[in-house]
Amino acid sequence: MTRPQPTSTAAADSEALAAAERNLCGLVNALARQIEGHIRERAGALNLTAAQAVALRELTGPLTMRDLADRMGCEPSNATFVVDRLEEQGIVERRPHPSDRRAKQLVLTSEGIALRGRLLELLSEDSPLAKFTPQEQTALNDLILRALQ
């Protein structure tokens, strides 16, 4: 009869680290889903899609399509589709870039500025991240940035 081999300390440590990482990944994914659901719900209240809401949230000033796509975490072609819909609604305008003749800048219209303000108010209500104090949000931000480096 074969007896089970004792687990080495290194193997036990590796298993514990893997379990902790798996748990943390699950928590990060669950939080991301909560945030996505929150955005979707708040966007719907303004007759926007979640992607349109994210684009509006990220339009903090004039941006190129590529910059907006980077901020949205999507391909420029997807951002173009979203911006086309926002432009049709009179929320965003494409304007010539001041220093690059080939590029356009995305700029909120006065209606877009007002809508973005309402969206930001709605997004701040009952946000999953609002459960953290400002200091905790800063600490979480720093930890996530460190993980991404």
Side-chain angles (χ1 to χ4, degrees):
M1 182 155 99
T2 318
R3 284 202 256 162
Q5 295 295 320
T7 306
S8 72
T9 304
D13 288 348
S14 292
E15 187 63 36
L17 286 173
E21 187 170 318
R22 186 175 58 249
N23 182 60
L24 186 56
C25 288
L27 291 172
V28 168
N29 284 331
L31 179 59
R33 284 191 304 274
Q34 275 191 356
I35 292 168
E36 288 170 10
H38 179 73
I39 291 170
R40 194 175 308 106
E41 178 186 316
R42 303 309 169 149
L46 296 173
N47 295 317
L48 297 169
T49 66
Q52 289 171 328
V54 170
L56 272 178
R57 181 190 67 196
E58 296 303 326
L59 277 165
T60 56
L63 293 175
T64 64
M65 191 66 73
R66 180 167 302 286
D67 291 338
L68 179 61
D70 287 346
R71 287 185 175 195
M72 291 177 67
C74 68
E75 293 296 317
S77 61
N78 294 340
T80 298
F81 178 80
V82 171
V83 169
D84 286 348
R85 304 294 83 72
L86 292 173
E87 190 175 35
E88 288 169 7
Q89 297 171 30
I91 296 168
V92 173
E93 291 179 349
R94 287 177 169 98
R95 294 185 184 162
H97 192 283
S99 60
D100 184 349
R101 294 185 307 144
R102 299 166 297 158
K104 298 281 185 187
Q105 283 189 320
L106 305 172
V107 179
L108 292 173
T109 63
S110 57
E111 294 85 1
I113 292 168
L115 181 60
R116 183 176 186 275
R118 289 196 306 278
L119 173 67
L120 294 179
E121 287 174 14
L122 286 175
L123 289 176
S124 68
E125 294 174 3
D126 300 323
S127 165
L129 298 176
K131 297 169 185 161
F132 297 116
T133 66
Q135 295 81 10
E136 290 170 331
Q137 287 185 19
T138 298
L140 181 59
N141 184 75
D142 293 346
L143 290 169
I144 292 171
L145 283 174
R146 196 165 97 204
L148 293 173
Q149 292 176 347

